[in-house]
Amino acid sequence: MTENADGVAAASALFQERLDKVATDMEDLLDRVLAPGPVDGERARPVRLLDAMRYASLAGGKRFRPFLVVETAGLFASPRGQALMVASAIEFVHCYSLVHDDLPAMDNDDLRRGRPTTHKAFDEATAILAGDGLLTLAFDVLSRSETHPDPQVRVELVTALARASGLGGMVGGQILDLAAEGRFADGVPERLGQEEIETLEAMKTGALLRFACMSGAILGQADLRARLALDRYGAAIGKAFQVADDLLDAEGDPAMVGKATNKDAAAQKATLVKILGVDGARQTLAALVADAEAAVAPFGAKADVLRAAARFVAERRH
Ligand code: GRG
């Protein structure tokens, strides 16, 4: 389906409205899940750890992954409350990854989401534990009956999130990234080719975004055709997100981006922008957006906001 210019503008406005609404709902739910009182099976919630987990996950971020969950689940008329539960699990994993990524042993960043990183606001040990706490909480949330009444659906969500975020997904991508920088005593910086960079980025950044899109189909117990369409959409969005992030690093203003920029070039890091050049990366980005838009064509007008989301990824400035 092709939208005319008025349709595109209307879908973009609706996208922003829905993104804002998801951000508000997410804030409320994360606040509730991170309440001071222990839940069944817990003994107590230590204040310092809880404060660090709240600092790392509340009041910040675009909440783009939660938006993808809510919108894809909406295609199958899944209850919004269930989608928000899944969305909060993904956001907890995302926030944990940012906390650990910012640590001195990883990227050593002082600024995230426009304020001090968690290890700067607290200390390193607390930040490591806050990340651990957020990761485990994600799976706690997915296993709750509030997420879906059918335990088989919950198990499918748990498995898919574990695989997207672990060894063969985000964590695996992170170690490939560190290895490429020559960060290990037995390694030298590697000159990665385009295919290797694509694999690394598909794991480090793409896998969680792809799962966010697929989780709507899992929640909605969608048929294979719909799952394949959303998987293609998620894969394109995941790649586009990383290319856009690399372009922001190469060209962005730190005040706008909310974190340090020009780090890839300083670290002589292999990125698609470095291989393809800024213009080549922009062309790749446009092709990925077109592919994401085409992937959700079978859903018709119901997917207008998802098409607008693909365009947002390419145009984002932070
Ligand atoms: C430490 C296990 C571990 C993994 C780290 C996510 C990650 C893997 C590293 C972050 C490095 C990075 C900046 C990757 C680029 C893509 C990305 C995840 C950007 C941040 O996501 P946004 O823009 O952030 O959605 P907000 O703040 O809006 O939530």
Side-chain angles (χ1 to χ4, degrees):
M1 195 195 98
T2 43
E3 299 159 273
N4 61 28
D6 285 350
V8 166
S12 296
L14 191 58
F15 161 74
Q16 199 52 58
E17 196 181 299
R18 300 242 184 119
L19 184 66
D20 291 347
K21 173 81 177 101
V22 164
T24 306
D25 289 350
M26 204 44 8
E27 203 65 16
D28 291 346
L29 181 55
L30 299 188
D31 181 54
R32 171 160 76 81
V33 176
L34 287 169
V39 296
D40 228 12
E42 291 178 344
R43 176 113 182 206
R45 294 188 156 190
V47 173
R48 185 173 179 81
L49 181 59
L50 184 69
D51 284 351
M53 289 167 70
R54 291 177 64 88
Y55 180 84
S57 58
L58 292 172
K62 294 176 287 298
R63 310 299 194 197
F64 185 58
R65 293 157 193 78
F67 161 87
L68 290 172
V69 179
V70 168
E71 283 301 320
T72 55
L75 294 174
F76 311 101
S78 286
R80 188 177 175 89
Q82 292 180 5
L84 287 170
M85 289 293 279
V86 176
S88 69
I90 296 183
E91 195 63 12
F92 281 140
V93 171
H94 171 57
C95 293
Y96 123 76
S97 80
L98 299 180
V99 172
H100 281 194
D101 188 64
D102 291 334
L103 286 167
M106 301 255 188
D107 255 15
N108 195 17
D109 273 308
D110 295 348
L111 199 62
R112 166 72 64 186
R113 292 174 166 171
R115 60 184 187 161
T117 46
T118 306
H119 67 274
K120 285 282 169 191
F122 291 81
D123 61 89
E124 271 183 58
T126 305
I128 292 170
L129 293 173
D132 295 341
L134 291 170
L135 174 61
T136 43
L137 189 55
F139 291 96
D140 173 342
V141 167
L142 284 189
S143 69
R144 297 183 192 181
S145 57
E146 207 182 326
T147 296
H148 198 282
D150 183 344
Q152 235 173 313
V153 171
R154 302 204 296 270
V155 168
E156 199 181 336
L157 289 166
V158 164
T159 306
L161 179 59
R163 292 187 185 168
S165 54
L167 175 62
M170 184 181 71
V171 177
Q174 179 74 355
I175 203 160
L176 292 179
D177 202 10
L178 295 177
E181 283 178 24
R183 293 278 293 269
F184 303 115
D186 55 351
V188 287
E190 291 174 54
R191 204 168 281 278
L192 300 188
Q194 184 167 342
E195 208 181 308
E196 291 162 306
I197 295 174
E198 281 176 0
T199 299
L200 184 163
E201 295 188 342
M203 291 170 73
K204 189 181 93 165
T205 315
L208 202 58
L209 286 155
R210 195 169 177 170
F211 169 66
C213 299
M214 183 49 80
S215 67
I218 299 175
L219 260 185
Q221 297 174 286
D223 63 24
L224 184 62
R225 214 165 140 249
R227 285 175 190 239
L228 289 174
L230 285 179
D231 194 43
R232 178 177 158 202
Y233 174 83
I237 288 276
K239 275 191 209 167
F241 199 90
Q242 182 65 57
V243 176
D245 204 73
D246 292 345
L247 281 165
L248 277 177
D249 184 77
E251 303 183 313
D253 168 7
M256 188 81 178
V257 181
K259 61 180 183 181
T261 56
N262 213 18
K263 293 186 65 192
D264 295 343
Q268 297 195 318
K269 195 164 172 175
T271 67
L272 286 184
V273 174
K274 193 155 180 215
I275 289 200
L276 304 173
V278 167
D279 289 346
R282 289 211 175 285
Q283 280 168 21
T284 300
L285 196 51
L288 288 166
V289 171
D291 191 42
E293 290 182 296
V296 289
F299 301 106
K302 275 200 294 185
D304 279 354
V305 173
L306 286 172
R307 278 185 281 276
R311 297 189 288 271
F312 160 81
V313 166
E315 288 157 14
R316 74 193 175 95
R317 293 286 168 267
H318 66 284

